[in-house]
Amino acid sequence: MDQANPFETPRTYSLHRAEYLVGLAVTTGMIIYHFGDIRWLPALGLFLYIDLIGYIPGAIAFRKSGGQPIHKAYYVLYNVMHSLITQGAVAALWCWLVKPEWALLVLPFHLFGDRGLFGNFMKSFALPFEPVRQEGYLRLLDDLGLPHPKPVGHEMDPVPVGHVPAHPVVRETEAVR
């Protein structure tokens, strides 16, 4: 999900990120080895377009919303653009329409970096677009006797309002009344 709400234990979340760090290390090694063979202008464009389409619009909408929910289209754009499936298709199309080339290494480099370094995975409609610690997840960690993740530190720390539940949640104390 995101670094504030991985819905995994902190240990398994770290292991999950470590897998992507290995991919990032391999990709970085290949970029270094083939540094002179990479066409850097297309590489820069391929690296940036993922966030220009998939992240920046949603981040702007989130900041402008003042903590209110934003349109689900931003989540879809993020998830489509940050998908290994999508970027694999982009690489295949590039190979077919342009040519196979080392500049394509920036596609997995970007995704592995986002997941391994920053802990950014697919975004759920059930959570705010940017990471905000969720009380339910913190209670889960408390129940498991595990420490809480550090706060993310937005300029504003919005109340988590990812979506309106399909069915109202009835707490045990309310059900007894």
Side-chain angles (χ1 to χ4, degrees):
M1 297 287 180
D2 59 44
Q3 63 267 34
N5 304 286
F7 295 100
E8 299 180 84
T9 64
R11 176 77 57 196
T12 57
Y13 182 62
S14 295
L15 292 170
H16 194 180
R17 287 178 65 181
E19 290 181 344
Y20 287 99
L21 286 173
V22 170
L24 180 64
V26 169
T27 307
T28 301
M30 292 177 72
I31 288 171
I32 291 168
Y33 185 78
H34 294 286
F35 194 85
D37 301 320
I38 295 173
R39 290 190 313 140
W40 287 101
L41 193 55
L44 182 63
L46 287 165
F47 183 86
L48 293 175
Y49 98 101
I50 295 171
D51 282 342
L52 288 174
I53 295 170
Y55 173 68
I56 293 173
I60 291 169
F62 175 79
R63 282 169 183 74
K64 284 184 174 182
S65 77
Q68 296 302 307
I70 63 174
H71 198 279
K72 290 180 180 181
Y74 295 114
Y75 293 78
V76 172
L77 282 173
Y78 182 91
N79 290 341
V80 167
M81 295 306 297
H82 287 82
S83 165
L84 288 165
I85 296 167
T86 300
Q87 298 314 317
V90 166
L93 271 171
W94 189 280
C95 289
W96 182 46
L97 298 173
V98 180
K99 67 177 184 176
E101 61 178 306
W102 294 111
L104 294 169
L105 284 171
V106 301
L107 297 174
F109 177 81
H110 182 127
L111 299 181
F112 294 160
D114 276 358
R115 292 182 177 134
L117 294 173
F118 305 116
N120 295 327
F121 292 87
M122 297 296 186
K123 295 194 180 290
S124 167
F125 293 149
L127 295 171
F129 188 82
E130 292 286 8
V132 176
R133 295 185 340 160
Q134 301 289 308
E135 289 302 317
Y137 179 66
L138 298 177
R139 284 193 305 273
L140 172 65
L141 292 178
D142 288 342
D143 289 348
L144 295 173
L146 298 170
H148 291 189
K150 64 181 175 56
V152 179
H154 298 289
E155 288 177 19
M156 57 168 181
D157 204 11
V159 175
V161 291
H163 77 299
V164 178
H167 303 288
V169 177
V170 179
R171 298 215 165 107
E172 216 175 287
T173 57
E174 295 171 358
V176 174
R177 291 181 192 173

